[in-house]
Amino acid sequence: MPQPKPARIRRALTAVIAALLTVAALLLASATDAHSASTTPVYKGTGWKAATANGIYSVSLDPYTITFADSTARTKLAKYFTAPAAQVTAAVGVPITVTTTLDTTPAGSCPARHRIVVHYTYRPMTSKGMSQTLACHNTLDGSAWGGHILMDTEYWTTAAWFSTNTTTNDARRKDAVTHELGHALGLDHPNTDLDKDGVVENGECVRNSAGLRPVVCGPNRGNPPATAGGKFTAEFDLPGLRQLLADYYLRQT
């Protein structure tokens, strides 16, 4: 039987070590962000808040899939979900796959478990420029079930909807999609009364050292750098999602 060459062994060991380091980093990040000292669920933190008002207290480790209500929604929007889905898969440990599947489940009904159906719809909330997420929850354990994301077509059909700068305009589109995905996974607007005037206002959210707010800040986080558009904020949104994953297990005990 031929023996493996030393170079192949070194490459194999290097790959194994790299994989183990990646897993260890994710576990450490999860433990740190998820308030590892706590033995009870946590539903609110710096720059994030669980959508408990909608019955969502956690997110499950089981895979989620993104599907589309029709071929137009798929053509227009699939590429906008790729980056945030991959980010959650890698940085949170919750697998999300963007599929080409068409799902005709009506927006008023919950789709199959862990399925998120994306719609391309004009003014789904009847208000100008407002998209909507109709999130479903598992009534047995309070985890994010899936649901429907209704993206307002105006972001794409009206020239320079967000900005006359084409790069900023597209970054804002990406943010809008990621914002709604965050709602489907169980994040609520984390706005808080930072200026202590007794009113929680639109856009009143914490910022990181670069001045970036949570992507789920309501109604949006403003103008992100092009490289940050469509990505959950590392200091706020991602720790929130990791905590929601930790809450899934904490709520079982």
Side-chain angles (χ1 to χ4, degrees), residues 91-139:
V92 181
V94 176
I96 303 179
T97 303
V98 182
T99 72
T100 58
T101 303
L102 299 183
D103 188 323
T104 58
T105 303
S109 301
C110 290
R113 180 177 181 269
H114 285 193
R115 179 168 286 195
I116 300 169
V117 185
V118 178
H119 305 248
Y120 184 67
T121 308
Y122 177 73
R123 296 188 182 180
M125 297 187 70
T126 71
S127 299
K128 180 180 179 181
M130 297 295 291
S131 292
Q132 182 180 28
T133 295
L134 301 173
C136 299
H137 67 279
N138 188 322
T139 58

Short mmCIF file of all heavy atoms in Angstrom, two decimals, residues 91-139:
data_model
loop_
_atom_site.label_atom_id
_atom_site.label_comp_id
_atom_site.label_asym_id
_atom_site.label_seq_id
_atom_site.Cartn_x
_atom_site.Cartn_y
_atom_site.Cartn_z
N ALA A 91 -20.01 33.49 11.36
CA ALA A 91 -19.71 34.22 12.59
C ALA A 91 -20.63 33.88 13.76
O ALA A 91 -20.28 34.13 14.90
CB ALA A 91 -19.76 35.73 12.33
N VAL A 92 -21.80 33.33 13.47
CA VAL A 92 -22.75 32.99 14.53
C VAL A 92 -22.85 31.48 14.70
O VAL A 92 -23.02 30.96 15.80
CB VAL A 92 -24.14 33.59 14.25
CG1 VAL A 92 -25.12 33.24 15.36
CG2 VAL A 92 -24.04 35.11 14.10
N GLY A 93 -22.73 30.76 13.59
CA GLY A 93 -22.85 29.31 13.64
C GLY A 93 -24.24 28.80 13.31
O GLY A 93 -24.54 27.63 13.50
N VAL A 94 -25.09 29.71 12.81
CA VAL A 94 -26.43 29.33 12.37
C VAL A 94 -26.42 29.26 10.84
O VAL A 94 -26.28 30.29 10.18
CB VAL A 94 -27.49 30.35 12.84
CG1 VAL A 94 -28.86 30.01 12.28
CG2 VAL A 94 -27.53 30.41 14.36
N PRO A 95 -26.54 28.08 10.25
CA PRO A 95 -26.44 27.96 8.79
C PRO A 95 -27.64 28.59 8.07
O PRO A 95 -28.79 28.28 8.39
CB PRO A 95 -26.41 26.44 8.56
CG PRO A 95 -26.09 25.84 9.90
CD PRO A 95 -26.68 26.77 10.91
N ILE A 96 -27.34 29.46 7.12
CA ILE A 96 -28.39 30.06 6.28
C ILE A 96 -27.98 29.88 4.83
O ILE A 96 -26.89 30.27 4.43
CB ILE A 96 -28.58 31.56 6.58
CG1 ILE A 96 -28.91 31.78 8.06
CG2 ILE A 96 -29.68 32.13 5.69
CD1 ILE A 96 -29.07 33.25 8.42
N THR A 97 -28.87 29.30 4.04
CA THR A 97 -28.60 29.05 2.62
C THR A 97 -29.56 29.84 1.76
O THR A 97 -30.77 29.80 1.97
CB THR A 97 -28.75 27.55 2.29
OG1 THR A 97 -27.87 26.79 3.12
CG2 THR A 97 -28.42 27.28 0.83
N VAL A 98 -29.02 30.58 0.81
CA VAL A 98 -29.85 31.29 -0.17
C VAL A 98 -30.09 30.33 -1.33
O VAL A 98 -29.16 29.92 -2.02
CB VAL A 98 -29.15 32.57 -0.68
CG1 VAL A 98 -30.05 33.31 -1.66
CG2 VAL A 98 -28.78 33.48 0.49
N THR A 99 -31.34 29.97 -1.53
CA THR A 99 -31.68 28.99 -2.57
C THR A 99 -32.29 29.69 -3.79
O THR A 99 -32.49 30.90 -3.80
CB THR A 99 -32.70 27.97 -2.04
OG1 THR A 99 -33.99 28.61 -1.90
CG2 THR A 99 -32.27 27.42 -0.69
N THR A 100 -32.60 28.90 -4.80
CA THR A 100 -33.32 29.42 -5.97
C THR A 100 -34.79 29.00 -5.92
O THR A 100 -35.54 29.21 -6.87
CB THR A 100 -32.68 28.89 -7.25
OG1 THR A 100 -32.71 27.45 -7.24
CG2 THR A 100 -31.24 29.36 -7.40
N THR A 101 -35.19 28.42 -4.81
CA THR A 101 -36.54 27.89 -4.66
C THR A 101 -37.60 28.98 -4.65
O THR A 101 -37.43 30.03 -4.03
CB THR A 101 -36.65 27.08 -3.35
OG1 THR A 101 -35.66 26.05 -3.34
CG2 THR A 101 -38.04 26.48 -3.17
N LEU A 102 -38.71 28.72 -5.35
CA LEU A 102 -39.86 29.61 -5.32
C LEU A 102 -40.88 29.04 -4.35
O LEU A 102 -41.20 27.84 -4.41
CB LEU A 102 -40.48 29.77 -6.71
CG LEU A 102 -39.58 30.37 -7.79
CD1 LEU A 102 -40.34 30.54 -9.10
CD2 LEU A 102 -38.99 31.71 -7.35
N ASP A 103 -41.37 29.87 -3.45
CA ASP A 103 -42.32 29.44 -2.42
C ASP A 103 -43.52 30.37 -2.48
O ASP A 103 -43.40 31.57 -2.25
CB ASP A 103 -41.67 29.49 -1.04
CG ASP A 103 -42.53 28.88 0.06
OD1 ASP A 103 -43.77 29.04 -0.01
OD2 ASP A 103 -41.97 28.28 0.98
N THR A 104 -44.68 29.83 -2.80
CA THR A 104 -45.87 30.66 -2.98
C THR A 104 -46.73 30.75 -1.72
O THR A 104 -47.89 31.16 -1.78
CB THR A 104 -46.73 30.11 -4.14
OG1 THR A 104 -47.08 28.74 -3.85
CG2 THR A 104 -45.98 30.19 -5.45
N THR A 105 -46.16 30.39 -0.57
CA THR A 105 -46.91 30.55 0.68
C THR A 105 -47.32 32.01 0.83
O THR A 105 -46.48 32.90 0.76
CB THR A 105 -46.04 30.14 1.89
OG1 THR A 105 -45.59 28.80 1.74
CG2 THR A 105 -46.83 30.28 3.19
N PRO A 106 -48.60 32.29 1.04
CA PRO A 106 -49.05 33.69 1.19
C PRO A 106 -48.37 34.37 2.36
O PRO A 106 -48.04 33.73 3.37
CB PRO A 106 -50.56 33.55 1.43
CG PRO A 106 -50.91 32.19 0.93
CD PRO A 106 -49.71 31.33 1.16
N ALA A 107 -48.17 35.67 2.24
CA ALA A 107 -47.49 36.43 3.29
C ALA A 107 -48.25 36.37 4.61
O ALA A 107 -47.66 36.58 5.67
CB ALA A 107 -47.30 37.87 2.85
N GLY A 108 -49.53 36.08 4.55
CA GLY A 108 -50.32 36.01 5.77
C GLY A 108 -50.23 34.68 6.49
O GLY A 108 -50.82 34.51 7.56
N SER A 109 -49.49 33.73 5.93
CA SER A 109 -49.34 32.40 6.53
C SER A 109 -47.86 32.09 6.74
O SER A 109 -47.01 32.49 5.94
CB SER A 109 -49.96 31.32 5.64
OG SER A 109 -51.34 31.57 5.42
N CYS A 110 -47.56 31.36 7.80
CA CYS A 110 -46.17 30.98 8.04
C CYS A 110 -45.75 29.88 7.08
O CYS A 110 -46.50 28.93 6.85
CB CYS A 110 -46.00 30.50 9.48
SG CYS A 110 -46.15 31.80 10.71
N PRO A 111 -44.56 29.99 6.49
CA PRO A 111 -44.07 28.93 5.59
C PRO A 111 -43.57 27.74 6.40
O PRO A 111 -43.73 27.69 7.62
CB PRO A 111 -42.92 29.63 4.85
CG PRO A 111 -42.40 30.62 5.86
CD PRO A 111 -43.61 31.09 6.62
N ALA A 112 -42.95 26.79 5.73
CA ALA A 112 -42.38 25.63 6.41
C ALA A 112 -41.32 26.09 7.41
O ALA A 112 -40.74 27.18 7.29
CB ALA A 112 -41.76 24.69 5.39
N ARG A 113 -41.05 25.25 8.39
CA ARG A 113 -40.11 25.59 9.46
C ARG A 113 -38.75 26.02 8.89
O ARG A 113 -38.18 25.38 8.02
CB ARG A 113 -39.92 24.39 10.39
CG ARG A 113 -38.96 24.63 11.55
CD ARG A 113 -38.91 23.41 12.45
NE ARG A 113 -38.02 23.60 13.58
CZ ARG A 113 -36.73 23.29 13.59
NH1 ARG A 113 -36.20 22.74 12.50
NH2 ARG A 113 -35.98 23.51 14.65
N HIS A 114 -38.25 27.12 9.40
CA HIS A 114 -36.94 27.68 9.08
C HIS A 114 -36.81 28.13 7.62
O HIS A 114 -35.71 28.17 7.07
CB HIS A 114 -35.82 26.71 9.46
CG HIS A 114 -35.59 26.66 10.94
ND1 HIS A 114 -34.49 26.08 11.50
CD2 HIS A 114 -36.34 27.12 11.98
CE1 HIS A 114 -34.56 26.18 12.82
NE2 HIS A 114 -35.68 26.80 13.13
N ARG A 115 -37.93 28.45 7.03
CA ARG A 115 -37.93 28.97 5.66
C ARG A 115 -38.30 30.45 5.70
O ARG A 115 -39.27 30.85 6.33
CB ARG A 115 -38.90 28.19 4.78
CG ARG A 115 -38.96 28.70 3.35
CD ARG A 115 -39.71 27.73 2.45
NE ARG A 115 -38.92 26.54 2.15
CZ ARG A 115 -39.22 25.68 1.18
NH1 ARG A 115 -40.30 25.85 0.45
NH2 ARG A 115 -38.45 24.65 0.96
N ILE A 116 -37.49 31.26 5.04
CA ILE A 116 -37.73 32.71 4.95
C ILE A 116 -38.06 33.01 3.49
O ILE A 116 -37.22 32.81 2.60
CB ILE A 116 -36.50 33.50 5.41
CG1 ILE A 116 -36.17 33.16 6.87
CG2 ILE A 116 -36.73 34.99 5.26
CD1 ILE A 116 -34.83 33.69 7.34
N VAL A 117 -39.27 33.48 3.24
CA VAL A 117 -39.73 33.75 1.88
C VAL A 117 -39.59 35.26 1.60
O VAL A 117 -40.11 36.09 2.35
CB VAL A 117 -41.20 33.33 1.69
CG1 VAL A 117 -41.61 33.52 0.23
CG2 VAL A 117 -41.40 31.89 2.12
N VAL A 118 -38.87 35.59 0.54
CA VAL A 118 -38.60 36.99 0.19
C VAL A 118 -39.53 37.46 -0.92
O VAL A 118 -39.68 36.79 -1.94
CB VAL A 118 -37.13 37.16 -0.24
CG1 VAL A 118 -36.85 38.61 -0.64
CG2 VAL A 118 -36.19 36.73 0.89
N HIS A 119 -40.15 38.62 -0.71
CA HIS A 119 -41.07 39.22 -1.68
C HIS A 119 -40.50 40.55 -2.17
O HIS A 119 -39.83 41.26 -1.43
CB HIS A 119 -42.44 39.48 -1.03
CG HIS A 119 -43.07 38.28 -0.41
ND1 HIS A 119 -44.22 37.70 -0.92
CD2 HIS A 119 -42.74 37.55 0.70
CE1 HIS A 119 -44.57 36.68 -0.15
NE2 HIS A 119 -43.69 36.56 0.83
N TYR A 120 -40.81 40.88 -3.40
CA TYR A 120 -40.43 42.17 -4.02
C TYR A 120 -41.74 42.90 -4.24
O TYR A 120 -42.46 42.63 -5.20
CB TYR A 120 -39.69 41.88 -5.32
CG TYR A 120 -39.13 43.06 -6.07
CD1 TYR A 120 -38.09 43.82 -5.55
CD2 TYR A 120 -39.61 43.39 -7.34
CE1 TYR A 120 -37.55 44.88 -6.26
CE2 TYR A 120 -39.08 44.44 -8.06
CZ TYR A 120 -38.04 45.18 -7.52
OH TYR A 120 -37.52 46.24 -8.24
N THR A 121 -42.07 43.83 -3.32
CA THR A 121 -43.42 44.38 -3.26
C THR A 121 -43.41 45.90 -3.12
O THR A 121 -42.59 46.45 -2.36
CB THR A 121 -44.18 43.79 -2.04
OG1 THR A 121 -44.10 42.37 -2.09
CG2 THR A 121 -45.62 44.21 -2.02
N TYR A 122 -44.31 46.55 -3.81
CA TYR A 122 -44.41 48.02 -3.71
C TYR A 122 -45.10 48.41 -2.40
O TYR A 122 -46.22 48.01 -2.11
CB TYR A 122 -45.21 48.57 -4.89
CG TYR A 122 -45.43 50.06 -4.86
CD1 TYR A 122 -44.38 50.94 -5.13
CD2 TYR A 122 -46.69 50.60 -4.57
CE1 TYR A 122 -44.57 52.31 -5.10
CE2 TYR A 122 -46.89 51.97 -4.54
CZ TYR A 122 -45.83 52.82 -4.80
OH TYR A 122 -46.03 54.18 -4.78
N ARG A 123 -44.38 49.17 -1.58
CA ARG A 123 -44.88 49.70 -0.32
C ARG A 123 -45.69 48.69 0.49
O ARG A 123 -46.91 48.86 0.70
CB ARG A 123 -45.70 50.96 -0.58
CG ARG A 123 -44.87 52.11 -1.15
CD ARG A 123 -45.63 53.42 -1.21
NE ARG A 123 -44.79 54.46 -1.81
CZ ARG A 123 -45.17 55.72 -2.01
NH1 ARG A 123 -46.39 56.11 -1.63
NH2 ARG A 123 -44.34 56.60 -2.55
N PRO A 124 -45.05 47.63 0.96
CA PRO A 124 -45.77 46.60 1.71
C PRO A 124 -46.45 47.10 2.97
O PRO A 124 -47.42 46.51 3.44
CB PRO A 124 -44.67 45.58 2.05
CG PRO A 124 -43.40 46.34 1.94
CD PRO A 124 -43.61 47.34 0.85
N MET A 125 -45.96 48.21 3.52
CA MET A 125 -46.58 48.78 4.72
C MET A 125 -47.42 50.00 4.37
O MET A 125 -47.84 50.75 5.26
CB MET A 125 -45.51 49.14 5.75
CG MET A 125 -44.72 47.95 6.27
SD MET A 125 -43.59 48.37 7.63
CE MET A 125 -44.77 48.71 8.95
N THR A 126 -47.65 50.20 3.05
CA THR A 126 -48.39 51.34 2.48
C THR A 126 -47.65 52.67 2.61
O THR A 126 -47.99 53.63 1.94
CB THR A 126 -49.81 51.49 3.08
OG1 THR A 126 -49.73 51.96 4.44
CG2 THR A 126 -50.57 50.16 3.03
N SER A 127 -46.64 52.73 3.46
CA SER A 127 -45.88 53.96 3.64
C SER A 127 -44.68 54.00 2.69
O SER A 127 -44.08 52.96 2.38
CB SER A 127 -45.37 54.06 5.09
OG SER A 127 -46.45 54.10 6.00
N LYS A 128 -44.34 55.17 2.26
CA LYS A 128 -43.23 55.38 1.34
C LYS A 128 -41.92 54.84 1.90
O LYS A 128 -41.52 55.17 3.02
CB LYS A 128 -43.10 56.87 1.05
CG LYS A 128 -41.98 57.26 0.10
CD LYS A 128 -41.97 58.76 -0.09
CE LYS A 128 -40.84 59.20 -1.01
NZ LYS A 128 -40.82 60.69 -1.17
N GLY A 129 -41.26 53.97 1.13
CA GLY A 129 -39.92 53.50 1.48
C GLY A 129 -39.82 52.54 2.63
O GLY A 129 -38.72 52.29 3.12
N MET A 130 -40.93 51.97 3.07
CA MET A 130 -40.89 51.07 4.22
C MET A 130 -41.03 49.62 3.80
O MET A 130 -42.02 49.24 3.17
CB MET A 130 -42.01 51.43 5.20
CG MET A 130 -41.89 52.83 5.79
SD MET A 130 -40.42 53.02 6.82
CE MET A 130 -40.85 51.99 8.21
N SER A 131 -40.04 48.80 4.16
CA SER A 131 -40.13 47.36 3.96
C SER A 131 -40.68 46.73 5.23
O SER A 131 -40.84 47.40 6.26
CB SER A 131 -38.75 46.77 3.62
OG SER A 131 -38.32 47.22 2.35
N GLN A 132 -40.94 45.43 5.18
CA GLN A 132 -41.58 44.78 6.33
C GLN A 132 -41.15 43.33 6.45
O GLN A 132 -40.97 42.63 5.45
CB GLN A 132 -43.11 44.85 6.17
CG GLN A 132 -43.90 44.27 7.32
CD GLN A 132 -45.40 44.38 7.10
OE1 GLN A 132 -45.87 44.41 5.95
NE2 GLN A 132 -46.16 44.45 8.17
N THR A 133 -40.99 42.88 7.68
CA THR A 133 -40.74 41.47 7.95
C THR A 133 -41.89 40.92 8.77
O THR A 133 -42.25 41.49 9.81
CB THR A 133 -39.43 41.25 8.72
OG1 THR A 133 -38.34 41.65 7.88
CG2 THR A 133 -39.25 39.79 9.10
N LEU A 134 -42.48 39.85 8.29
CA LEU A 134 -43.54 39.16 9.02
C LEU A 134 -42.92 37.89 9.57
O LEU A 134 -42.92 36.84 8.94
CB LEU A 134 -44.72 38.85 8.08
CG LEU A 134 -45.35 40.06 7.41
CD1 LEU A 134 -46.39 39.63 6.38
CD2 LEU A 134 -45.99 40.99 8.43
N ALA A 135 -42.32 38.03 10.75
CA ALA A 135 -41.59 36.91 11.34
C ALA A 135 -42.52 35.97 12.08
O ALA A 135 -43.44 36.39 12.77
CB ALA A 135 -40.53 37.45 12.30
N CYS A 136 -42.28 34.69 11.91
CA CYS A 136 -43.03 33.67 12.63
C CYS A 136 -42.15 33.12 13.75
O CYS A 136 -40.93 33.22 13.70
CB CYS A 136 -43.42 32.53 11.69
SG CYS A 136 -44.47 33.05 10.31
N HIS A 137 -42.78 32.55 14.77
CA HIS A 137 -42.01 31.96 15.86
C HIS A 137 -42.54 30.58 16.20
O HIS A 137 -43.71 30.26 15.97
CB HIS A 137 -42.04 32.86 17.10
CG HIS A 137 -43.40 32.98 17.74
ND1 HIS A 137 -44.37 33.84 17.26
CD2 HIS A 137 -43.96 32.34 18.80
CE1 HIS A 137 -45.46 33.74 18.00
NE2 HIS A 137 -45.24 32.83 18.95
N ASN A 138 -41.66 29.77 16.72
CA ASN A 138 -42.03 28.44 17.17
C ASN A 138 -42.79 28.59 18.49
O ASN A 138 -42.23 29.05 19.48
CB ASN A 138 -40.76 27.59 17.37
CG ASN A 138 -41.07 26.13 17.65
OD1 ASN A 138 -42.02 25.81 18.35
ND2 ASN A 138 -40.23 25.25 17.11
N THR A 139 -44.05 28.22 18.49
CA THR A 139 -44.87 28.43 19.68
C THR A 139 -44.49 27.51 20.84
O THR A 139 -44.89 27.75 21.98
CB THR A 139 -46.37 28.22 19.34
OG1 THR A 139 -46.55 26.89 18.81
CG2 THR A 139 -46.84 29.24 18.33
#
